[in-house]
Amino acid sequence: MLSRVLGGGWVLLAMAFAATTLGVAVGSAAGIYAAYVRGRIDGLVMRTVDVLLAFPQIIFALLLVSLVGPKLWLIVLAVGISHLPQVARVLRSATLDLSERDFIKVLELQGMRTHRIITKELLPNLVSPLMVEIGIRLTYSIIIISGLSFLGFGPQPPAANWGTMINTNRVAIVANPWGVVVPALLIALLTIGTNTFTDAVARVTIGLERRTEEAALLESAPT
Amino acid sequence: MVVVTGRLTAKRPHPIAQLLWRRAALGVATLLVVATIVFLATEVLPGNAAYAILGHTASRARVIALEHQLHLNRGIFDQYWIWLTGLLSGRLGDSLANGMPVWGQVEPRLVNSAFLVLVSGAIGTVLGVGLGALAALRKDSFFDHASSVVFLGVAALPTFVVAIALIILLSTLVFHLLPAVSMISPGTYAWSQPRLMVLPVTTLVLIIVPYMQRMTRAAMVEALESDYVEMARLKGLSERRVVLVHALPNAVGPTIQVIGLVFLYLAGGIVVVETVFDFPGIGQGLVNAVADRDLPVIQIIVLILAAFYVVINILTDVIALLATPRRRIAR
Amino acid sequence: MGEMPTPLAIPLRGIAANPVGFAKAVPGSASTVLEVRGFEVRLGEHGVAIVTDVSFDVAAGEVLGLVGESGSGKTTIALGLLGHSRRGLAIAAGEVRLNGVDLLSIPARQLRNLRGARVAYVPQDPSAALNPALRIGIQLREALSSHQIEARAIEARLADILGEARLEANVLRRYPHQLSGGQQQRVALAMAFSCRPSLIVLDEPTTGLDVTTQRHVLDSVRSLCCLYDVAAVYVSHDLAVVDGLATTVAVMYAGQLIELGPTAEVFSRPGHPYTRSLLDAVPSPERAHVLQGIPGQPPPPGRRPQGCSFSTRCPWVIERCRMEAPTTQSVGNQQVRCHRASELRGSMERKMLVPTVRPVTSKASLLSVEALDAFYGDSQVLFGVDLTVDTDRCLAVVGESGSGKTTLARCIAGLHSNWKGKLRFDGQELARSARQRPSVALRRIQYIFQNPYTSLNPRHTVEQIVSQQLRQFFEIKAHERAERTRAALESVSLNERYLDLFPDELSGGERQRVAIARALVVEPEMLICDEVTSALDVSVQAVIIEMLRSLQQERHLTMIFITHNLALVRSIGQDIIVLRDGRVVDRGPSEAVLDHSDEAYTRQLMADVPRVEL
């Protein structure tokens, strides 16, 4: 029983990692590229972001899952895509600021190619917003995936999953409280743990850049 | 260039009018694209929608009848055109689950949800902004550190976990103060049974306050540590005046942006909360419709939420602009 | 710009920066307003000392100039005079007595009543210190109303101070961002003088202003101080500004006052080697001389040596200086913190070497610009600029902010591509933007940016930054790349120790030297220097300028030197063009243009440059 319960955690965590990787990788690539090249590509990316943002995250996932069915890969894909617009926005604004700096102009005067400027020169300077995003998105992924399970659109049995357990056991909450309390506690521990850990990592990276946390936080807010 | 004498010769459109027009046009375009995506996603992508709805064991006759009802026998552009013109002229179609007009089902739910969002948003904003400002004023005090630790934890909790915790605490295992479900009697609206609103509202407030607190605190700290606040102190102004007249107005702009974001977040948050508490709103309606594959209902709810996004976005931008003279008034 | 000087604001004057009619007050002749004793600021209550053992007096009508380079602690003292310290710092000891009342030991409420009313502050950057969300009128009135001045009296007072600061009444309805830099600074002055304080603290109030605007603001400061007989402390890094304004000067180094005395005496017969070195680093608008930089950099707080803090850089250092920290001693009218003060005062000779300029052999032009119009969006910033730069010579491009001088440099380099006209380099036409130019053309013209804090990638080491440039232009083996990188760093006096350092481990001057090395490593023929010393201290500026001059001579470089500082042109430019609002208004060999130009604008600029009188 215990191993089955804990197994559910592993599945949840693995899915959250996959969705985060997808969302942050694609979202930041789009945001950084758009901010650096500007022009029409930037406009296109930003309009796409606007459209995607019009779907609240969980609803986007719900919509996709309802159409194809609660397949594991689809949940990962849906949650990953729902992260894209936010990640793209944050990284875009960070890159806009950066690409106006003179050290990037120096490279343009050398005739360095765009993809090289992005990967070798811009990217190392975007570590701190990237770390912050990974942290936020990982926590959100866990929240959304477990939420979907709770609503009945999570990974299907036999894969154990905490959200579904809570949902099915809550009718009998008075008779069998542990059936609800244990998975709820586990999810709480997992999300709080993840959030605290990634928050600490983000603080350390911001600290290394000697910026105030408040400034970094305000920058990370999509406006 | 600086205009030294006389009023601004305003040939240019006013910045606010300009912003309103631009954002409204963009908003309409966004909605149109969203509508198209919703249409394509719900009607075209998953193969034959009629089979998807009825199941693969359905009889041929029923499938054909449903295909007719959904105009699936037409070409895709025709289908799109019929759907879009129907949407614009208010003919939203009938529910596939029970054959009743969609709007008749969605409208009372929409009112309930709007009420839920408004009440939670208002309470959450007051609490979040207040606690954030307080933490900023007492930066690095025990209250500041303690509240940031607590909120960091609460911010990480999924909505349904908070809801379940409240149910356990207040209505089942520990105390029995409040009803665990919020089944509002049909024909009445949510505000007629305030007791039923307590738990859903509390859940949403708990979800949004940490974020609001954190962002308000950051905006306020930024203002309090600025040069102009230092200057105000060096002018010998009272601390009260420094905070209320000098720091606060500069923290309003960013805070309004955050309030807008929180309302947008609530639009997604109601889905889970309404399901947990059986609250008859559009969130629960959406989950039911998804389970029933009731396409017209899904479409209309998703579009309502997208419209909400567009409107809130324009509102926040305009209000934030009004609150920031540096951006509002041209040089 | 919105600077409309009234006739009153232009007292005609020649070389003297002190206009007729405002005589410098004689120190000691009036009652003492401010007494500072043993003032000390630390990082936290018991942390590292930032400022130690500062004592001085200021009398009514006296202006004390507090000079020092960045990090010397002058702003910390300025704020301390109002009983204030920045977050993280704490005033650890000492007294700041204003008319006999010690501001550091009175209750907070009493201190608040004195601030603004008896002691006022004029900030360095008024665009940040004026509240962006409040109209100017509110910000001026609250200063008065919070100090119990009656409502009726307030309006009369407002009218007075606006007139005194030469501001129009309509600024009251405006927001700070609607005013020019000069107007913002006048508002700050008006605010400070509004309650008729007995002490006023000015923290570099003219930094970032153009020379003409700066002169108008300085004139206002001088006349207001004189009119109300206030004691003033004027903080500045600019010795020339202080010379024209202050009756007494106090020189700061590494958190200590190292010399204090009447301005004329301190500047003509300095008693401290640091004061001497600082004066030698200041470029003169009158005559070309070799600028003497100060090697090394001041020790940061917490790493100050046990002896004299200047001993590590002092040319007159003796064994005692390293062992024992000097105390202040009186030499004539001067207070000097140096063991050798009495022996050195007046005997440290001023080294006025005249730079040797290699005679120009060829008169061929390397770069020509024809009818250049440049635009930002719809607005035009350059109008029909024509110029040629001769091989081996240095052309100085001079102009105030907004004159288009940086845009001109960027067009030539290919950083700004929205222009019309013709650019020809070595006979070949140059394409509009760097992206369209062949690699060879890019290599031959190198650009050095104004701000060394943004022109180096903070995530790369010095070696990566310099060798990266080689990798881009030459196909050579790794060991040769390393060799050339080392040689380039050597040529800007940076040894191998610097190869593995990151930019944030370097001082501003060292960063700018890395930027120069990066340009030189690919053996360019033309160097474009865009305000390369404006972010640096004067002692570092001298090092960089001399380095650039000798490199230009040794390597036969053709140079375009963009600057707003006319005094610098004397030291490095051979030819000069003067830009005003996007048009060339004056040009010629630099001596001719600076000394006897027919152009009124150039003469005005020259007259407005503050200078050290010797």
Side-chain angles (χ1 to χ4, degrees):
Chain A
M1 178 65 196
L2 183 70
S3 69
R4 216 178 94 82
V5 170
L6 292 182
W10 281 117
V11 175
L12 177 57
L13 206 54
M15 289 172 72
F17 265 115
T20 305
T21 311
L22 174 73
V24 174
V26 179
S28 55
I32 295 171
Y33 189 74
Y36 183 66
V37 301
R38 305 298 301 273
R40 237 177 268 161
I41 289 177
D42 187 28
L44 187 72
V45 168
M46 287 320 283
R47 295 295 82 78
T48 313
V49 161
D50 266 342
V51 169
L52 281 178
L53 275 176
F55 298 93
Q57 275 198 293
I58 194 157
I59 283 165
F60 184 84
L62 207 58
L63 200 62
L64 223 58
V65 171
S66 77
L67 295 171
V68 188
K71 307 234 167 37
L72 221 117
W73 62 267
L74 187 74
I75 296 170
V76 169
L77 187 72
V79 175
I81 294 176
S82 75
H83 289 325
L84 290 184
Q86 306 276 10
V87 177
R89 262 184 161 190
V90 172
L91 268 299
R92 178 178 176 273
S93 83
T95 311
L96 274 184
D97 178 46
L98 208 57
S99 50
E100 284 306 305
R101 305 260 184 97
D102 291 338
F103 73 85
I104 296 299
K105 304 256 181 257
V106 170
L107 303 166
E108 285 166 11
L109 284 180
Q110 291 176 6
M112 192 188 261
R113 293 216 187 89
T114 302
H115 76 95
R116 208 182 140 84
I117 291 185
I118 289 178
T119 53
K120 300 273 175 183
E121 309 281 335
L122 285 174
L123 213 51
N125 287 287
L126 291 167
V127 170
S128 118
L130 270 174
M131 291 309 289
V132 174
E133 276 310 295
I134 290 173
I136 296 174
R137 299 304 146 198
L138 191 60
T139 312
Y140 278 8
S141 294
I142 299 174
I143 291 177
I144 295 171
I145 294 170
S146 61
L148 281 174
S149 310
F150 176 78
L151 293 174
F153 303 97
Q156 296 303 290
N161 100 48
W162 298 342
T164 317
M165 276 182 210
I166 297 175
N167 198 20
T168 47
N169 293 342
R170 75 187 167 116
V171 229
I173 190 167
V174 183
N176 174 22
W178 297 117
V180 174
V181 172
V182 171
L185 270 180
L186 285 173
I187 291 180
L189 278 178
L190 183 59
T191 49
I192 290 178
T194 312
N195 203 29
T196 316
F197 176 71
T198 54
D199 189 76
V201 172
R203 273 169 205 250
V204 169
T205 37
I206 290 169
L208 290 179
E209 295 191 353
R210 301 192 187 115
R211 288 157 63 212
T212 67
E213 250 166 65
E214 282 78 20
L217 186 62
L218 287 178
E219 271 167 34
S220 76
T223 47
Chain B
M1 287 302 288
V2 181
V3 183
V4 178
T5 50
R7 239 161 282 135
L8 292 170
T9 44
K11 266 272 163 68
R12 267 179 296 181
H14 195 273
I16 295 175
Q18 205 179 2
L19 177 98
L20 259 177
W21 279 116
R22 231 179 68 89
R23 298 305 305 261
L26 262 177
V28 170
T30 305
L31 278 183
L32 212 63
V33 176
V34 169
T36 310
I37 291 174
V38 169
F39 169 80
L40 287 175
T42 51
E43 307 222 0
V44 179
L45 276 183
N48 191 321
Y51 271 116
I53 293 161
L54 297 172
H56 285 277
T57 54
S59 75
R60 184 79 196 125
R62 284 192 58 196
V63 170
I64 290 173
L66 188 62
E67 279 180 352
H68 253 288
Q69 192 195 335
L70 297 176
H71 308 290
L72 290 180
N73 49 345
R74 310 267 195 99
I76 175 162
F77 292 107
D78 281 355
Q79 286 184 42
Y80 179 59
W81 186 246
I82 293 169
W83 180 77
L84 196 66
T85 48
L87 202 64
L88 292 175
S89 60
R91 280 178 284 113
L92 304 174
D94 298 334
S95 161
L96 296 180
N98 55 18
M100 308 279 279
V102 167
W103 186 243
Q105 292 182 25
V106 172
E107 193 242 25
R109 286 181 178 277
L110 180 60
V111 174
N112 285 337
S113 288
F115 185 63
L116 178 61
V117 165
L118 210 65
V119 172
S120 335
I123 297 175
T125 299
V126 171
L127 277 179
V129 170
L131 289 171
L134 212 60
L137 288 174
R138 313 226 153 112
K139 194 181 176 222
D140 294 328
S141 67
F142 174 75
F143 171 76
D144 182 27
H145 289 302
S147 63
S148 75
V149 168
V150 169
F151 285 137
L152 187 67
V154 178
L157 293 176
T159 316
F160 69 95
V161 170
V162 175
I164 293 287
L166 285 176
I167 290 176
I168 291 172
L169 189 69
L170 298 176
S171 43
T172 51
L173 299 178
V174 185
F175 300 106
H176 293 82
L177 303 173
L178 293 157
V181 288
S182 310
M183 296 223 278
I184 286 153
S185 337
T188 62
Y189 286 117
W191 52 82
S192 58
Q193 283 143 293
R195 244 173 78 82
L196 297 184
M197 296 286 294
V198 176
L199 281 186
V201 167
T202 312
T203 308
L204 287 175
V205 166
L206 281 175
I207 289 297
I208 60 177
V209 161
Y211 181 70
M212 286 236 57
Q213 190 268 354
R214 219 177 156 193
M215 300 305 278
T216 310
R217 179 183 175 279
M220 198 65 188
V221 165
E222 185 105 328
L224 282 171
E225 291 183 353
S226 66
D227 283 9
Y228 51 82
V229 162
E230 180 175 65
M231 187 66 215
R233 293 212 169 98
L234 293 178
K235 273 158 82 177
L237 303 182
S238 66
E239 197 56 28
R240 208 180 130 85
R241 189 171 172 92
V242 169
V243 172
L244 292 181
V245 178
H246 284 265
L248 204 59
N250 287 287
V252 166
T255 306
I256 285 169
Q257 299 279 7
V258 177
I259 295 174
L261 280 176
V262 160
F263 272 89
L264 293 180
Y265 181 83
L266 284 175
I270 54 171
V271 173
V272 171
V273 170
E274 292 179 357
T275 307
V276 179
F277 295 105
D278 274 330
F279 181 92
I282 53 170
Q284 188 205 35
L286 182 67
V287 173
N288 291 345
V290 166
D292 296 344
R293 299 188 158 261
D294 194 344
L295 294 184
V297 175
I298 296 178
Q299 288 167 345
I300 196 66
I301 292 181
V302 171
L303 278 175
I304 288 173
L305 291 172
F308 179 71
Y309 164 85
V310 167
V311 170
I312 288 285
N313 246 336
I314 295 176
L315 271 183
T316 359
D317 277 4
V318 171
I319 299 175
L321 189 69
L322 285 173
T324 317
R326 198 170 8 186
R327 292 178 52 211
R328 182 181 73 213
I329 301 165
R331 300 191 60 176
Chain C
M1 307 297 291
E3 287 313 313
M4 300 301 289
T6 58
L8 179 73
I10 319 172
L12 283 175
R13 55 190 191 136
I15 296 165
N18 191 11
V20 191
F22 300 124
K24 293 178 181 180
V26 185
S29 66
S31 59
T32 303
V33 172
L34 174 73
E35 293 165 86
V36 179
R37 292 289 173 273
F39 182 75
E40 181 175 306
V41 174
R42 291 178 175 275
L43 203 62
E45 203 69 50
H46 305 287
V48 169
I50 306 292
V51 161
T52 47
D53 190 21
V54 170
S55 306
F56 58 86
D57 292 348
V58 189
E62 186 187 2
V63 179
L64 175 97
L66 191 59
V67 298
E69 297 187 276
S70 49
S72 62
K74 52 191 191 304
T75 292
T76 306
I77 293 181
L79 293 171
L81 299 181
L82 291 101
H84 178 71
S85 60
R86 290 250 158 95
R87 179 176 279 275
L89 302 184
I91 298 173
E95 292 173 11
V96 174
R97 279 199 297 276
L98 178 68
N99 296 321
V101 181
D102 181 14
L103 300 185
L104 305 183
S105 61
I106 55 176
R109 197 187 170 76
Q110 201 183 336
L111 178 62
R112 201 168 64 221
N113 289 337
L114 289 177
R115 281 182 186 166
R118 306 310 314 146
V119 49
Y121 181 76
V122 180
Q124 175 169 9
D125 178 6
S127 67
L130 292 174
N131 195 323
L134 301 178
R135 291 177 198 275
I136 299 296
I138 296 179
Q139 302 191 52
L140 279 173
R141 285 192 183 95
E142 71 181 355
L144 294 164
S145 60
S146 64
H147 294 295
Q148 279 99 39
I149 291 173
E150 284 172 43
R152 218 174 324 137
I154 286 178
E155 295 309 311
R157 182 69 67 85
L158 264 183
D160 281 356
I161 55 175
L162 287 179
E164 287 159 14
R166 300 185 194 120
L167 286 162
E168 308 254 347
N170 67 10
V171 299
L172 294 178
R173 290 198 315 273
R174 298 189 175 276
Y175 286 98
H177 73 275
Q178 294 174 284
L179 306 182
S180 71
Q183 286 174 316
Q184 290 175 342
Q185 198 51 278
R186 279 160 202 282
V187 167
L189 276 179
M191 201 181 281
F193 278 96
S194 63
C195 289
R196 309 294 182 230
S198 45
L199 171 68
I200 190 150
V201 180
L202 303 111
D203 188 3
E204 307 227 29
T206 63
T207 307
L209 299 180
D210 286 326
V211 281
T212 306
T213 316
Q214 162 169 290
R215 216 207 66 204
H216 294 319
V217 171
L218 288 178
D219 286 345
S220 297
V221 169
R222 198 179 293 119
S223 61
L224 284 167
C225 286
C226 203
L227 187 60
Y228 295 107
D229 204 29
V230 301
V233 174
Y234 190 98
V235 175
S236 181
H237 68 282
D238 190 333
L239 277 75
V241 165
V242 167
D243 189 39
L245 190 70
T247 40
T248 313
V249 66
V251 185
M252 296 283 304
Y253 183 79
Q256 288 183 320
L257 261 188
I258 54 103
E259 182 155 8
L260 174 71
T263 309
E265 289 173 50
V266 169
F267 282 1
S268 60
R269 306 186 73 205
H272 197 287
Y274 175 67
T275 313
R276 171 77 276 161
S277 311
L278 208 51
L279 285 164
D280 287 345
V282 180
S284 153
E286 264 86 45
R287 53 194 164 273
H289 67 102
V290 175
L291 303 179
Q292 307 278 322
I294 308 176
Q297 46 195 291
R303 275 191 277 153
R304 289 172 184 159
Q306 74 171 106
C308 171
S309 51
F310 191 57
S311 61
T312 49
R313 308 167 76 190
C314 182
W316 287 275
V317 67
I318 53 173
E319 201 44 40
R320 188 178 169 209
C321 304
R322 297 207 174 88
M323 309 305 298
E324 186 189 330
T327 51
T328 308
Q329 48 179 297
S330 295
V331 190
N333 287 325
Q334 289 150 255
Q335 307 274 316
V336 186
R337 193 185 289 271
C338 175
H339 292 308
R340 304 181 65 191
S342 49
E343 154 198 6
L344 288 176
R345 187 177 73 117
S347 67
M348 294 178 286
E349 82 226 47
R350 181 158 167 78
K351 288 160 283 181
M352 287 285 270
L353 304 174
V354 177
T356 49
V357 178
R358 187 164 33 74
V360 179
T361 46
S362 72
K363 181 73 178 149
S365 79
L366 184 62
L367 177 88
S368 70
V369 177
E370 288 164 39
L372 185 81
D373 291 335
F375 308 83
Y376 275 106
D378 292 335
S379 65
Q380 187 167 355
V381 288
L382 288 178
F383 301 83
V385 171
D386 285 297
L387 64 90
T388 56
V389 190
D390 294 338
T391 308
D392 262 19
R393 283 179 77 87
C394 174
L395 171 76
V397 178
V398 184
E400 307 208 290
S401 57
S403 64
K405 54 189 191 301
T406 289
T407 308
L408 174 61
R410 293 189 163 223
C411 289
I412 297 171
L415 278 173
H416 184 80
S417 55
N418 191 359
W419 54 266
K420 289 187 302 204
K422 266 209 176 72
L423 283 183
R424 229 184 287 271
F425 181 75
D426 201 10
Q428 309 253 310
E429 199 158 316
L430 286 176
R432 211 160 255 130
S433 93
R435 290 230 177 269
Q436 302 156 345
R437 295 182 188 174
S439 184
V440 189
L442 293 176
R443 180 184 67 77
R444 292 171 76 187
I445 304 178
Q446 289 292 319
Y447 193 98
I448 301 171
F449 288 83
Q450 170 174 13
N451 188 345
Y453 290 87
T454 66
S455 71
L456 307 178
N457 191 334
R459 291 277 181 267
H460 289 176
T461 64
V462 169
E463 176 171 29
Q464 285 170 325
I465 287 167
V466 178
S467 69
Q468 197 284 122
Q469 175 98 332
L470 279 171
R471 198 190 295 263
Q472 198 68 26
F473 288 115
F474 298 106
E475 301 215 346
I476 48 175
K477 296 221 171 67
H479 69 90
E480 198 187 337
R481 221 168 27 230
E483 195 77 12
R484 290 204 202 176
T485 300
R486 233 165 257 159
L489 287 170
E490 191 106 334
S491 69
V492 294
S493 313
L494 294 178
N495 59 24
E496 291 186 1
R497 203 171 56 79
Y498 286 88
L499 285 172
D500 295 328
L501 297 183
F502 285 92
D504 64 358
E505 297 173 276
L506 307 180
S507 69
E510 287 168 339
R511 284 170 193 239
Q512 200 57 293
R513 282 192 267 164
V514 172
I516 295 172
R518 171 174 60 190
L520 291 178
V521 76
V522 292
E523 290 151 21
E525 283 145 62
M526 172 173 259
L527 214 52
I528 302 175
C529 302
D530 180 15
E531 298 261 23
V532 289
T533 59
S534 67
L536 306 175
D537 276 320
V538 62
S539 67
V540 181
Q541 163 174 285
V543 174
I544 298 288
I545 293 294
E546 287 311 316
M547 186 170 277
L548 281 172
R549 205 224 323 270
S550 60
L551 286 167
Q552 188 226 343
Q553 304 270 314
E554 284 162 24
R555 303 194 172 208
H556 297 264
L557 286 166
T558 308
M559 196 145 87
I560 296 179
F561 190 88
I562 312 284
T563 186
H564 68 282
N565 188 342
L566 278 165
L568 269 186
V569 173
R570 188 73 86 172
S571 295
I572 193 164
Q574 291 152 342
D575 301 300
I576 181 172
I577 67 167
V578 181
L579 278 180
R580 182 189 194 183
D581 297 335
R583 291 186 170 83
V584 178
V585 293
D586 204 357
R587 68 173 86 222
S590 52
E591 302 290 304
V593 171
L594 294 178
D595 289 338
H596 25 73
S597 173
D598 296 332
E599 171 62 34
Y601 180 67
T602 311
R603 288 207 307 272
Q604 177 70 50
L605 281 183
M606 272 303 274
D608 289 338
V609 176
R611 58 204 68 191
V612 179
E613 285 176 69
L614 294 166

